[in-house]
Amino acid sequence: MDVRSQVSMVFHLDKCIGCHTCSIACKNIWTDRKGAEYMWWNNVETKPGTGYPTKWEDQNIYQGGWERNGDSVSLKGAGKLRGLKNIFHNPYMPVLDDYYEPWTYKYQDLFTAPEGNDQPTARPVSLVTGETMDVKAGPNWDDDLGGSPDYARQDVNMQKLTPAEQEVMFQLERMTLHYLPRICNHCLNPACVASCPSGALYKRGEDGVVLINQERCRAWRMCVTACPYKKSYYNWHTGKSEKCVLCYPRLESGQAPACFHSCVGRIRYLGVMLYDADKIEAVASVPEDQIVQAQMDIYLDPFDPKVIEEAKKNGIADSTIEAAQKSPVYKFVKLWKLALPLHPEFRTLPNLFYVPALLPSVGTVNNGIYNSNTNGLWGGIDTTRLPMKYLASLFSAGNTETVAEVLKRLMTVRWHRRNVTVGDVDEKTVNAALEDTKMDTATADAIFRLTTLATFDERFVIPPAHREESIEMLENTGDVKGNTGFGFKERPARGL
Ligand code: SF4
Ligand code: SF4
């Protein structure tokens, strides 16, 4: 067992109001620079929708992530040999139109326009060419168009639905949407790190944050292709690639990343997870229908004496172990089984987990008793407005049962709490749901508390910085583990 620590995240989608405050906080701190205007290290997209960059989830277009080759994995479209073949023209690279052309407005015209009969206007001007332009796309364009079916129908996940199922979904009274905020997942098996010919990307030993060394980056842009989430970006002004740094200077001083700190919906949670690095390659290589469970199993119980012993042997500080024990991410992901990784089939083992949105389910009130199980205990979930196949395509590599189990647990908490606070839910329903999901009322109350009333310190359990553990834990060493392109460095004894 090779115990490592990872700063991980949970986003609770039922709470996201799509206000984009997170995106603006990040933009103001990190990407308000020449060459970075089009970058949104934190972006919020609308689902169903095509996202940013357009259709980023479609690896037939972008060839990102890993593919399984027997007991191992190899990069799908990047890597040294494939990369060399495409050195002069990489057909899998998103172009500016796939993101959008960033713009500002000629605000000065509002003040300098001559007096006339018309209201003066500030025309949009391209931040790339400086020319006036017609705005045709933006980082949250689907949202600007109010979840328009024109975009929703182009959602890559729709391919998992039959045409008949899609028609039902787009009936006016059934149409719905939810927001999907995204940042870099600081993956356990980061395709970006493995793809870089210059070895510029690395994963920090003390917290698992994935960074790009600007000194070593040689603008190959393999990381842009390799990242299936398209969270590595090329700065056309500096000629270097850039990505989310999880606000590591803030983390090191005990503060939450800016997008977390500013989140209006309080949907974000951050904490340490301990995991077994010996299992990364094996987990990344399991068949698709086992990948979610395999990833869940790689995270370790921070209260287990054996895990603690191995963690200490590996130089993990007591304060980090303590942070892992208090981690809200550990609770949501491992203990309560409420949060799932986005597109686990990309095999990068992402460390950002989502509590899926419990979409509008309609109940009835008969004789003053609220009843949401109008069609059997879980009828509301079986007929949820966003088909289970769609949610499974997002969060469980197509396994509908996995998503359904999460939604049932969320629904159980909702019924239990409504029974406690309003008292108008059929008692039999609550008890049947608790029994079916094997949840006790104390757990349901704990989930409710962390979801709704949690304080700042409960949502963000940030371990004290341990720069003495600083080592580039995982960097592109090319051939250390078979042909996968990644490997672990030996960890030095603590204190070195
Ligand atoms: S999401 Fe994963 S693969 Fe993409 S840039 Fe972040 S660490 Fe790399
Ligand atoms: S700030 Fe929070 S609530 Fe607002 S869009 Fe971002 S994640 Fe959603």
Side-chain angles (χ1 to χ4, degrees):
M1 196 190 306
D2 180 8
V3 181
R4 311 266 174 166
S5 72
Q6 171 74 45
V7 171
S8 310
M9 306 146 279
V10 164
F11 289 1
H12 196 309
L13 294 184
D14 260 332
K15 299 170 73 183
C16 179
I17 55 173
C19 63
H20 299 271
T21 310
C22 47
S23 304
I24 298 300
C26 177
K27 167 73 55 190
N28 282 336
I29 293 181
W30 296 110
T31 58
D32 188 17
R33 291 172 284 116
K34 193 169 178 187
E37 301 93 342
Y38 80 99
M39 293 179 202
W40 294 84
W41 292 358
N42 180 112
N43 77 295
V44 183
E45 46 204 61
T46 302
K47 283 288 176 196
T50 51
Y52 160 84
T54 307
K55 294 196 172 182
W56 63 269
E57 296 156 285
D58 191 340
Q59 303 315 333
N60 290 326
I61 299 174
Y62 294 117
Q63 298 282 303
W66 301 90
E67 59 192 0
R68 184 171 177 247
N69 299 316
D71 291 340
S72 190
V73 285
S74 56
L75 289 170
K76 210 172 169 135
K80 294 187 181 63
L81 279 179
R82 283 175 183 160
L84 272 177
K85 269 198 316 198
N86 297 326
I87 197 164
F88 295 114
H89 172 62
N90 183 347
Y92 311 126
M93 188 82 71
V95 296
L96 194 60
D97 281 348
D98 293 319
Y99 297 97
Y100 73 108
E101 187 167 344
W103 74 90
T104 184
Y105 294 94
K106 287 172 101 175
Y107 292 111
Q108 206 54 32
D109 286 0
L110 298 176
F111 300 102
T112 57
E115 192 177 332
N117 294 329
D118 302 316
Q119 189 86 356
T121 55
R123 291 199 60 193
V125 190
S126 167
L127 282 169
V128 179
T129 65
E131 306 290 322
T132 52
M133 61 180 276
D134 291 327
V135 176
K136 294 197 179 120
N140 61 330
W141 205 244
D142 300 7
D143 181 22
D144 291 343
L145 295 180
S148 149
D150 288 347
Y151 286 86
R153 280 182 194 275
Q154 303 301 319
D155 185 318
V156 176
N157 302 287
M158 287 296 162
Q159 293 166 5
K160 301 282 161 53
L161 273 62
T162 65
E165 287 167 333
Q166 289 188 29
E167 282 319 307
V168 172
M169 192 172 156
F170 286 110
Q171 287 169 359
L172 197 58
E173 68 277 15
R174 288 188 63 89
M175 278 177 65
T176 185
L177 61 88
H178 65 83
Y179 296 105
L180 183 72
R182 299 200 301 118
I183 64 172
C184 166
N185 297 281
H186 298 279
C187 307
L188 293 184
N189 184 27
C192 57
V193 174
S195 71
C196 178
S198 305
L201 284 107
Y202 61 102
K203 192 166 174 67
R204 298 211 310 184
E206 69 267 38
D207 54 16
V209 171
V210 174
L211 297 171
I212 302 178
N213 181 336
Q214 296 289 291
E215 299 288 319
R216 288 178 78 171
C217 176
R218 294 288 175 270
W220 298 105
R221 286 171 276 174
M222 288 299 152
C223 53
V224 180
T225 300
C227 173
Y229 300 93
K230 290 294 160 276
K231 281 294 168 191
S232 183
Y233 303 84
Y234 180 65
N235 183 316
W236 55 267
H237 181 63
T238 62
K240 309 277 180 182
S241 292
E242 301 178 2
K243 63 179 286 302
C244 158
V245 297
L246 203 59
C247 284
Y248 72 84
R250 291 175 61 92
L251 280 180
E252 285 170 10
S253 56
Q255 298 177 73
C259 56
F260 285 69
H261 191 117
S262 63
C263 175
V264 174
R266 299 185 176 186
I267 83 158
R268 294 170 179 234
Y269 302 82
L270 182 138
V272 172
M273 294 276 262
L274 300 180
Y275 68 98
D276 184 358
D278 275 343
K279 292 194 178 147
I280 290 179
E281 190 172 7
V283 169
S285 316
V286 299
E288 201 158 291
D289 58 350
Q290 296 166 24
I291 189 92
V292 175
Q293 193 51 52
Q295 185 178 346
M296 294 300 149
D297 291 344
I298 205 170
Y299 298 108
L300 301 165
D301 177 356
F303 296 96
D304 181 338
K306 177 83 186 140
V307 171
I308 295 172
E309 188 190 324
E310 292 296 321
K312 286 186 176 177
K313 263 195 226 162
N314 238 1
I316 296 179
D318 290 352
S319 55
T320 305
I321 297 169
E322 203 179 305
Q325 291 172 340
K326 290 184 186 155
S327 167
V329 179
Y330 178 73
K331 288 177 188 158
F332 271 118
V333 174
K334 278 287 275 191
L335 275 189
W336 300 334
K337 299 181 176 53
L338 288 175
L340 297 167
L342 180 64
H343 287 300
E345 72 278 12
F346 296 163
R347 300 178 183 277
T348 61
L349 311 184
N351 285 304
L352 165 50
F353 301 88
Y354 291 86
V355 179
L358 185 58
L359 296 158
S361 58
V362 183
T364 55
V365 178
N366 294 319
N367 298 325
I369 302 281
Y370 175 77
N371 186 5
S372 52
N373 60 336
T374 49
N375 186 19
L377 183 60
W378 302 117
I381 284 174
D382 293 339
T383 55
T384 174
R385 287 191 194 179
L386 268 186
M388 208 59 77
K389 276 190 194 171
Y390 177 85
L391 293 171
S393 174
L394 279 175
F395 300 118
S396 60
N399 187 333
T400 51
E401 194 52 39
T402 304
V403 179
E405 287 303 317
V406 171
L407 295 187
K408 283 178 187 174
R409 296 172 73 76
L410 291 171
M411 186 58 96
T412 301
V413 175
R414 189 181 283 189
W415 281 336
H416 165 66
R417 289 306 306 177
R418 181 156 176 133
N419 195 27
V420 170
T421 54
V422 187
D424 68 346
V425 183
D426 179 4
E427 194 86 32
K428 278 193 227 144
T429 300
V430 182
N431 291 335
L434 286 167
E435 200 181 315
D436 209 23
T437 55
K438 299 186 181 54
M439 195 188 296
D440 54 29
T441 52
T443 305
D445 287 335
I447 295 170
F448 166 75
R449 172 160 179 95
L450 197 55
T451 306
T452 57
L453 304 168
T455 61
F456 195 89
D457 291 340
E458 287 170 280
R459 285 183 284 129
F460 310 126
V461 180
I462 301 163
H466 284 286
R467 293 302 292 160
E468 74 277 11
E469 288 174 31
S470 174
I471 178 173
E472 292 163 13
M473 178 181 93
L474 191 157
E475 69 172 10
N476 181 350
T477 47
D479 53 3
V480 174
K481 286 204 171 185
N483 196 29
T484 55
F486 62 83
F488 287 93
K489 278 188 164 185
E490 284 290 311
R491 195 174 184 126
R494 190 171 169 198
L496 292 181

